[in-house]
């Protein structure tokens, strides 16, 4: 007698989208795109029960390569609209994706306040150390002296130390992964999604960009990255210890969950007008008849 099929949540098929990916061969976006789908499937989150928000960039071209609710916004502005969506409905897992170019230049103000405000969202940084979509412009995270299309004689400025910067903002969750290690990335994404109830989860994904990044290549990252958690690193350590580990890439690059704390209230939980509310903002807005306003627009 056949065993009846039981619903165990979504499958990878549920996140499938017929629109084909247009990334270059060997692009790390494929690994990140696969890992986020796997993470959502393993967390039993249906495509219609989450919101994925995309910034502008090569990664942003993945916004229509997934099933479910997605939002593709303006350059560098992914954190404000992701945070706004989450604060209006705290039951919704919200994942924001941004590149290193916008996140550490045009959108850096939003990034700062996302972390210091401890917005209850997950932010995944596609860190390919350049602006890939605009054909290899140097970003704040491009290595100094590397020749790029906007700096053919080598990038003259020093590279921004992104982890030092992030830790200066007193984060509650910091992780780092590598686009070539999908199983580890999946576990990191799951932890970062679950951290939302505590606040802003920052995941730095070192991403191969074989077309424009000829320094931190897939092979280089494969060689240098190691799983710090399996080597005994406890993410609930002192911030100073995690910060030092995250910043030291001289010999090896620590990946995994590098820092986490759950004792800081997230932004929503600090909002006095929301104290004791049983409803979400989105429910309350739904009770307002906006028909009259809509008629004005017809
Ligand atoms: Fe990927 Fe780089 Fe090609 Fe963009 S330019 S799709 S980041 S390999
Ligand atoms: Mg980039």
């Amino acid at each position: 007698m056949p065993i009846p099929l039981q619903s165990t949540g979504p499958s990878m098929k549920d996140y499938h989208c017929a629109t084909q990916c247009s990334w270059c061969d060997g692009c790390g976006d494929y690994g990140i795109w696969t890992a986020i789908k796997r993470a959502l499937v393993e967390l039993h989150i249906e495509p219609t029960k989450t919101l994925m928000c995309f910034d502008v960039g090569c990664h942003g071209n993945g916004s229509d390569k997934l099933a479910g609710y997605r939002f593709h916004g303006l350059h560098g502005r992914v954190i404000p609209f992701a945070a706004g969506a989450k604060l209006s409905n705290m039951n919704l897992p919200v994942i924001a994706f941004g590149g290193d170019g916008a996140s550490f230049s045009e959108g850096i103000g939003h990034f700062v306040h996302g972390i210091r405000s401890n917005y209850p969202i997950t932010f995944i940084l596609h860190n390919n150390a350049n602006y890939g979509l605009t054909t290899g412009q140097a970003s704040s995270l491009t290595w100094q002296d590397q020749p790029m299309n906007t700096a053919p004689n080598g990038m003259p400025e020093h590279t921004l130390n992104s982890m030092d910067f992030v830790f200066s903002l007193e984060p509650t969750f910091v992780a780092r992964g590598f686009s070539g290690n999908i199983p580890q990335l999946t576990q990191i994404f799951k932890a970062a999604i679950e951290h939302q109830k505590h606040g802003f989860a920052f995941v730095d994904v070192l991403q191969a960009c074989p077309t424009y990044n000829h320094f931190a290549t897939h092979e280089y990252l494969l060689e240098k990255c190691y799983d710090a958690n399996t080597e005994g690193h406890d993410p609930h350590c002192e911030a100073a210890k995690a910060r030092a580990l995250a910043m030291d890439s001289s010999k090896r690059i620590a990946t995994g969950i590098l820092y986490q704390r759950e004792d800081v209230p997230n932004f929503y939980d600090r909002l006095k007008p929301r104290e004791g509310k049983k409803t979400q903002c989105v429910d309350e807005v739904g009770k307002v008849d906006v028909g009259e306003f809509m008629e004005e627009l017809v």
Side-chain angles (χ1 to χ4, degrees):
M1 185 177 173
I3 300 170
L5 289 174
Q6 290 186 334
S7 174
T8 55
S11 67
M12 290 294 273
K13 194 174 165 189
D14 295 309
Y15 276 95
H16 176 71
C17 177
T19 314
Q20 292 194 336
C21 294
S22 54
W23 297 308
C24 309
D25 285 354
C27 177
D29 279 327
Y30 290 103
I32 302 168
W33 173 75
T34 302
I36 193 64
K37 290 188 289 183
R38 282 180 58 166
L40 289 163
V41 167
E42 289 183 23
L43 289 171
H44 303 295
I45 298 173
E46 303 280 349
T48 54
K49 301 287 185 196
T50 185
L51 174 68
M52 286 181 268
C53 303
F54 294 81
D55 210 303
V56 169
C58 289
H59 79 278
N61 290 346
S63 65
D64 60 353
K65 315 297 189 297
L66 293 156
Y69 290 120
R70 292 141 295 134
F71 192 100
H72 197 164
L74 297 175
H75 200 201
R77 314 299 163 194
V78 71
I79 289 174
F81 58 76
K86 179 71 180 192
L87 295 173
S88 67
N89 184 0
M90 289 294 289
N91 297 323
L92 187 71
V94 176
I95 304 157
F97 301 86
D100 56 288
S103 303
F104 285 92
S105 287
E106 295 89 341
I108 197 165
H110 302 306
F111 187 54
V112 166
H113 298 298
I115 298 176
R116 71 173 273 275
S117 303
N118 207 23
Y119 291 149
I121 61 172
T122 299
F123 179 64
I124 295 172
L125 181 74
H126 285 245
N127 184 357
N128 60 6
N130 79 100
Y131 288 89
L133 191 65
T134 47
T135 66
Q137 287 182 277
S139 78
S140 306
L141 304 193
T142 300
W143 291 6
Q144 187 169 14
D145 297 330
Q146 284 296 323
M148 302 298 289
N149 283 344
T150 47
N153 298 314
M155 192 184 78
E157 299 110 322
H158 72 263
T159 309
L160 192 149
N161 191 326
S162 56
M163 278 300 189
D164 195 24
F165 179 74
V166 165
F167 273 95
S168 75
L169 301 169
E170 300 183 25
T172 59
F173 183 102
V174 179
R176 183 159 54 201
F178 159 45
S179 59
N181 189 341
I182 295 171
Q184 184 202 26
L185 214 45
T186 302
Q187 299 313 312
I188 291 173
F189 288 167
K190 284 169 68 179
I193 294 167
E194 291 185 313
H195 184 80
Q196 283 186 24
K197 55 183 174 288
H198 302 297
F200 194 92
F202 170 65
V203 185
D204 179 14
V205 185
L206 304 175
Q207 179 196 328
C209 169
T211 305
Y212 296 115
N213 180 332
H214 304 298
F215 40 100
T217 62
H218 176 85
E219 291 73 20
Y220 171 90
L221 295 169
L222 205 54
E223 183 70 24
K224 293 265 282 187
C225 291
Y226 73 100
D227 189 329
N229 301 127
T230 60
E231 293 196 13
H233 174 67
D234 176 6
H236 292 92
C237 63
E238 291 291 320
K241 184 179 176 192
R243 186 177 190 160
L245 181 75
M247 286 172 60
D248 181 12
S249 58
S250 54
K251 292 195 176 70
R252 298 197 298 165
I253 299 173
T255 63
I257 302 167
L258 305 179
Y259 183 65
Q260 185 170 17
R261 57 186 297 183
E262 293 91 359
D263 59 339
V264 178
N266 70 50
F267 182 79
Y268 186 90
D269 289 342
R270 291 183 190 142
L271 295 175
K272 294 212 176 297
R274 301 307 303 166
E275 274 178 15
K277 293 273 185 187
K278 300 276 187 255
T279 50
Q280 297 295 313
C281 296
V282 72
D283 304 323
E284 296 152 27
V285 170
K287 292 174 188 163
V288 177
D289 182 2
V290 294
E292 192 180 328
F293 305 115
M294 296 304 285
E295 277 171 24
E296 288 180 20
L297 299 173
V298 177

